[in-house]
Amino acid sequence: MSILFFSLSGMDLLGALDKCQDKQQIVDWIYSTMLSDKKSLKTGFRGFNIGSDFSSIGSPEFCPFDSGHLAMTYTALASLLVLGDNLSRVDRESTARAVGSLQNEDGSFLSSLDGGECDMRYVYCACCICFMIDDWRFVDANKVAEFVRRSVSFDFSIGQGPFLEGHGGSTFCGLASLALMGRLDQCLGAKLKERLKKWCVFRQVTGFHGRPNKRVDTCYSFWVGGALKLLDANNLMSREDLIEFLFTTESDVTGGFSKWAGHMADPLHSYMAVSGLSLLEYPGVKPVDVMLNISSEAV
Amino acid sequence: MSESAEPNQKLVSPPSPSPDDDTELPQHNSPPPISYSTDPIWSDVIPIPQQEGPFPVVRIAYTNEFREVHDYLRALLKSNEVSERALSLTKHAVSLNPANYTTWQYRRLILKNLKCDLQEELVFNAEVIEKHPKNYQVWFHRQKLTEWIGLPGQEFEFTAECLEDDTKNYHVWQYRQWLLEKFPSYYKAELEFVDSLIKNDVRNNSAWNQRYFVLSKTSEFTVELVRREVEYTKLCIRLSLHNESPWNYLRGILNGQDLALHLEVKAWILETISKRKPSIYAYSILIDICELQIEEGDVTALSEALSYCSILREGMDVIRKEFWAYTGDRLSGLVVSSKQ
């Protein structure tokens, strides 16, 4: 599902979605991965159909281990929006209840009902899902904000959880989660926002890296670039240096972008490079909605 | 294959030698050790192919081995079988795709129900970690095993070894923090461990973070402790003036302390950079201290801060020239609003 999302949204940002001729069939495939038991707390999308018979209105639980997964649900819903679907086949209330059931006492979220990691990535996915289905009833937003606030590190970045090392990816996820809830300013306050801006701009070496003294990597053009955008500070980076770096990671053999120059291109880094370029208003790339990481048009 | 097997019937195979060689991790792309379809041990299982529908999307070119293993896995998942052969199958499956969280979850259920030797499982898990050290699922699995065992065993030593290979592996640090919270008697030795890592590489940002974590969990940030940490950090800064990590740590531990302590540190910074080539981080923290001075009513610190912003903007840190221009304007605004 993630690979599909990177491909579709990438094509959309590049204005090339019209080259995708089978949009309805892709929509049907996405829905086929949806768990269709409307009363189940396992409602959501899976990465792929685990074994149920194909159905374009979703499939029942295949086995006790079958459940929706927050990252797959986020990328599925985002992909559907990119394809112009109105989410009419999604049971919004069941989905919202399912997301709520994954929230821990400390405000973070499990990835799925059967357990798994619970870090800032899934806070972000949960907030994206609630935003896209417009239903926050079953999520405790105060606790989410509190979890993000407690994950602010001593160096004024945001880690995957309290006391974990601040990181470009989790900083974006935390900020975007607050923004999706409309609580960014309220939760952080002016002073912390300024400190976060400083931490983010210091991630720029040529391109961005994710942590101090680490190597630059293409994907942080979105994670850190996006964090700066959320802080209303993306004009404070060096646009020229970032663009120059990004194009060193572009493959002139296969196309696409890799994490570093000379590496093989992959869907994730290709997409993050394109959405990073969108944040820079690079010609030929559509505006991206920084919170959801899909085109503003699709939202 | 038996045609009489009911797909939903719980199947538990009778005790029999495992068909797999459990001492060898099957290698991806090499010929499978067995073919499940021809192995009599699996004859009662009807494999379930992945249902991709009439229009498969993002078709993955699975190997025959991958396809067969997961066809059989789906069958066992559906019947919720708990058995040695299921355990063996999950081992084969995670060796082919260690990122499949469902497979690991199923494996955990089997391990628990069969009351397997969890120490052996830790050994197997370590083998997978060696090949996939940045995989979320393998580390989550290890954490669950340790949780069940209820003792730290060799986990601190194991994570220390992993950090020798990659001193900044986020998963290792995350697991190590979990271990410390679970077995807090090990906090005593952690500062020394962190110190050894910092001595080995003063640029290791993860180690600096761990230092802050340990102190936060074991101490109060009294003035005495902060002073001790300031002295420690100064030593590290002297070794590597252009290294961001200790400067960030310095600013972090000073946060919330009195202006007087900040000014002492400021004096040290100014003295240090007068003798050596200044770093952008030194000026950055000087600007932060000037901002604190302004907030506490000393508006004369503004011109000093603006001079640092100019130095950075005009030569030392051109890549961030917009940020330093913005910072100068922002601090000027602070002074204007404080006068109103």
Side-chain angles (χ1 to χ4, degrees), chain B residues 6-204:
Chain B
E6 294 290 333
N8 290 327
Q9 183 183 1
K10 187 165 176 174
L11 303 166
V12 178
S13 65
S16 63
S18 166
D20 277 359
D21 176 3
D22 279 338
T23 60
E24 276 295 315
L25 206 63
Q27 297 299 314
H28 184 51
N29 287 333
S30 60
I34 52 148
S35 172
Y36 293 89
S37 63
T38 56
D39 189 330
I41 290 171
W42 294 93
S43 61
D44 58 306
V45 176
I46 302 172
I48 299 177
Q50 185 168 304
Q51 295 296 333
E52 299 201 79
F55 189 79
V57 171
V58 188
R59 288 192 87 158
I60 295 175
Y62 300 119
T63 62
N64 289 335
E65 179 190 0
F66 190 100
R67 193 182 306 280
E68 186 180 50
V69 167
H70 288 85
D71 288 351
Y72 276 82
L73 184 66
R74 275 182 278 274
L76 262 54
L77 282 168
K78 189 138 178 86
S79 63
N80 205 8
E81 178 174 320
V82 172
S83 66
E84 285 291 339
R85 70 176 181 178
L87 188 69
S88 170
L89 181 64
T90 58
K91 187 175 189 179
H92 194 172
V94 298
S95 76
L96 296 173
N97 181 10
N100 190 322
Y101 46 85
T102 303
T103 313
W104 283 109
Q105 206 176 312
Y106 181 38
R107 188 172 174 83
R108 282 193 288 277
L109 176 91
I110 300 166
L111 288 167
K112 217 169 193 180
N113 280 273
L114 295 185
K115 298 182 173 33
C116 293
D117 183 336
L118 297 181
Q119 298 294 339
E120 263 186 39
E121 183 66 8
L122 279 175
V123 171
F124 166 64
N125 177 264
E127 290 167 6
V128 185
I129 281 176
E130 196 174 356
K131 292 180 178 9
H132 306 278
K134 296 192 181 182
N135 169 300
Y136 283 91
Q137 289 72 37
V138 295
W139 284 102
F140 181 75
H141 188 73
R142 194 170 192 88
Q143 182 176 307
K144 279 318 238 190
L145 295 174
T146 304
E147 194 175 26
W148 292 346
I149 292 168
L151 293 168
Q154 300 297 307
E155 292 309 288
F156 285 96
E157 290 80 2
F158 176 73
T159 49
E161 276 169 28
C162 291
L163 288 172
E164 280 175 25
D165 291 334
D166 179 356
T167 58
K168 302 176 187 181
N169 185 321
Y170 205 97
H171 303 276
V172 184
W173 284 111
Q174 187 165 1
Y175 178 54
R176 199 173 167 97
Q177 283 198 1
W178 179 87
L179 284 170
L180 284 163
E181 284 286 89
K182 188 89 180 147
F183 309 107
S185 64
Y186 283 78
Y187 271 118
K188 251 193 321 245
E190 188 67 2
L191 207 58
E192 195 182 317
F193 173 72
V194 164
D195 185 45
S196 70
L197 285 173
I198 289 175
K199 281 190 165 67
N200 193 47
D201 178 9
V202 76
R203 294 173 192 279
N204 186 341

Side-chain angles (χ1 to χ4, degrees), chain A residues 283-299:
Chain A
V285 186
K286 283 197 222 173
V288 70
D289 178 285
V290 66
M291 294 190 299
L292 293 177
N293 196 9
I294 56 176
S295 71
S296 302
E297 209 174 81
V299 177

Side-chain angles (χ1 to χ4, degrees), chain A:
Chain A
M1 187 68 75
S2 311
I3 301 173
L4 177 65
F5 166 70
F6 294 136
S7 307
L8 286 175
S9 196
M11 288 172 71
D12 183 30
L13 287 178
L14 292 168
L17 203 56
D18 56 341
K19 291 188 173 25
C20 182
Q21 290 164 341
D22 306 297
K23 293 194 188 70
Q24 191 52 50
Q25 285 168 310
I26 299 175
V27 166
D28 288 344
W29 183 89
I30 296 172
Y31 275 115
S32 79
T33 69
M34 185 176 69
L35 234 157
S36 67
D37 182 347
K38 292 187 183 303
K39 302 251 184 309
S40 169
L41 283 177
K42 293 185 170 186
T43 299
F45 290 80
R46 307 99 138 185
F48 49 87
N49 187 325
I50 194 174
S52 304
D53 290 338
F54 179 89
S55 164
S56 63
I57 53 167
S59 48
E61 185 181 313
F62 171 73
C63 68
F65 303 93
D66 193 12
S67 69
H69 186 282
L70 282 187
M72 302 304 135
T73 302
Y74 155 57
T75 48
L77 292 175
S79 300
L80 287 170
L81 289 178
V82 165
L83 290 167
D85 186 78
N86 62 4
L87 307 187
S88 57
R89 285 180 248 177
V90 176
D91 181 337
R92 292 175 190 237
E93 178 161 327
S94 293
T95 304
R97 281 186 189 277
V99 172
S101 75
L102 294 171
Q103 189 170 25
N104 294 315
E105 264 309 302
D106 67 358
S108 66
F109 289 81
L110 294 169
S111 55
S112 66
L113 204 59
D114 297 307
E117 316 93 64
C118 47
D119 52 51
M120 201 61 71
R121 298 172 298 152
Y122 296 114
V123 172
Y124 173 64
C125 291
C127 289
C128 283
I129 293 164
C130 291
F131 187 91
M132 285 187 280
I133 63 173
D134 193 22
D135 192 337
W136 295 86
R137 286 177 291 165
F138 304 100
V139 161
D140 188 330
N142 288 335
K143 284 192 174 176
V144 174
E146 191 45 41
F147 179 78
V148 175
R149 188 64 187 82
R150 286 191 299 109
S151 301
V152 173
S153 169
F154 67 89
D155 65 359
F156 312 112
S157 59
I158 300 175
Q160 288 286 11
F163 294 106
L164 291 170
E165 189 181 0
H167 183 280
S170 43
T171 298
F172 169 81
C173 287
L175 292 174
S177 300
L178 293 175
L180 286 161
M181 296 190 298
R183 294 181 178 223
L184 194 148
D185 289 333
Q186 172 198 344
C187 178
L188 299 177
K191 200 163 191 169
L192 181 52
K193 269 184 77 174
E194 294 304 324
R195 288 168 164 173
L196 277 156
K197 285 179 197 175
K198 181 183 266 198
W199 186 87
C200 288
V201 295
F202 267 96
R203 289 321 104 226
Q204 187 162 23
V205 179
T206 48
F208 283 114
H209 60 202
R211 295 179 268 171
N213 294 319
K214 290 280 281 181
R215 201 168 159 183
V216 289
D217 179 326
T218 299
C219 63
Y220 295 107
S221 65
F222 181 78
W223 301 127
V224 179
L228 282 167
K229 175 87 175 173
L230 289 163
L231 294 165
D232 300 312
N234 62 320
N235 58 322
L236 301 183
M237 68 167 102
S238 168
R239 188 176 178 277
E240 299 72 28
D241 284 281
L242 181 57
I243 290 173
E244 191 180 328
F245 165 74
L246 282 175
F247 284 103
T248 65
T249 68
E250 188 182 24
S251 168
D252 54 12
V253 174
T254 60
F257 293 81
S258 56
K259 61 191 300 183
W260 302 324
H263 272 242
M264 202 181 315
D266 64 67
L268 182 146
H269 289 92
S270 299
Y271 183 67
M272 293 304 172
V274 170
S275 53
L277 286 168
S278 171
L279 290 172
L280 298 170
E281 299 178 11
Y282 193 80
V285 186
K286 283 197 222 173
V288 70
D289 178 285
V290 66
M291 294 190 299
L292 293 177
N293 196 9
I294 56 176
S295 71
S296 302
E297 209 174 81
V299 177

